[in-house]
Amino acid sequence: MSDQFQKGDKVEWQSSGKTIEGTVEKKLTAPTDIKRHHVAASKEQPEYLVKSDKTGKTAAHKPEALKPQDD
């Protein structure tokens, strides 16, 4: 599952009870900080940096929180 998404993939996730649509920017495989938030990503437990289509903001999400966007 962790290798399911690639850069450019259209995905959706839940945030505050709403479905958000966006694009995968990159796979994170090392700890990093995004907007003062520590992301504990690793090769064994990667996360994905995604960009919201609506707001243009980026956030990191675990692969199980993302699903491919329905066309």
Side-chain angles (χ1 to χ4, degrees), residues 2-53:
S2 63
D3 291 326
Q4 179 177 356
F5 302 109
Q6 303 294 324
K7 181 177 180 174
D9 285 354
K10 302 298 263 177
V11 294
E12 58 186 45
W13 62 95
Q14 294 294 312
S15 179
S16 301
K18 297 179 184 176
T19 300
I20 309 297
E21 298 177 342
T23 305
V24 173
E25 294 286 302
K26 69 179 185 176
K27 182 177 182 178
L28 303 173
T29 57
T32 189
D33 291 313
I34 300 171
K35 296 184 282 186
R36 297 178 294 204
H37 174 74
H38 183 72
V39 179
S42 67
K43 287 185 180 182
E44 296 78 25
Q45 294 183 323
E47 296 196 27
Y48 290 91
L49 185 67
V50 294
K51 183 176 182 179
S52 167
D53 289 345

